Amino acid sequence: RNGHMNNTRYPALFCDFTDGITDRFVTGFAVNFQNEARYGTSFDVYGAREGNDSYFRTVLEDGAVGAEALITLEGR
């Protein structure tokens, strides 16, 4: 409706890329939005993990950073 990816879609997107998310609890989640992913735009998702923290970044077709996220998981 507003021409870009709805901000409420990002948590599900990043969770889909988080290893072990079904085996542990999400205890922290932060997203920083930098540039809109306009309708029809492709982007890549990059990630890294360090301990309980998973870091993500989307990079738009033009090389701009779209969003960055940090997800913290704790064991069961």
Side-chain angles (χ1 to χ4, degrees):
R1 183 172 192 176
N2 58 12
H4 63 83
M5 184 170 157
N6 189 294
N7 292 351
T8 62
R9 301 287 185 183
Y10 284 92
L13 171 82
F14 292 128
C15 284
D16 286 344
F17 285 95
T18 304
D19 291 335
I21 197 160
T22 59
D23 301 323
R24 301 189 291 163
F25 297 103
V26 176
T27 58
F29 196 103
V31 181
N32 178 30
F33 302 102
Q34 296 184 26
N35 290 287
E36 297 175 334
R38 306 282 309 157
Y39 179 74
T41 300
S42 296
F43 58 84
D44 293 313
V45 178
Y46 296 93
R49 185 171 175 184
E50 183 176 316
N52 291 330
D53 297 329
S54 294
Y55 303 91
F56 297 98
R57 173 180 286 164
T58 63
V59 178
L60 306 173
E61 293 171 326
D62 66 0
V65 173
E68 295 180 314
L70 167 64
I71 299 175
T72 302
L73 302 178
E74 297 294 333
R76 288 190 172 170

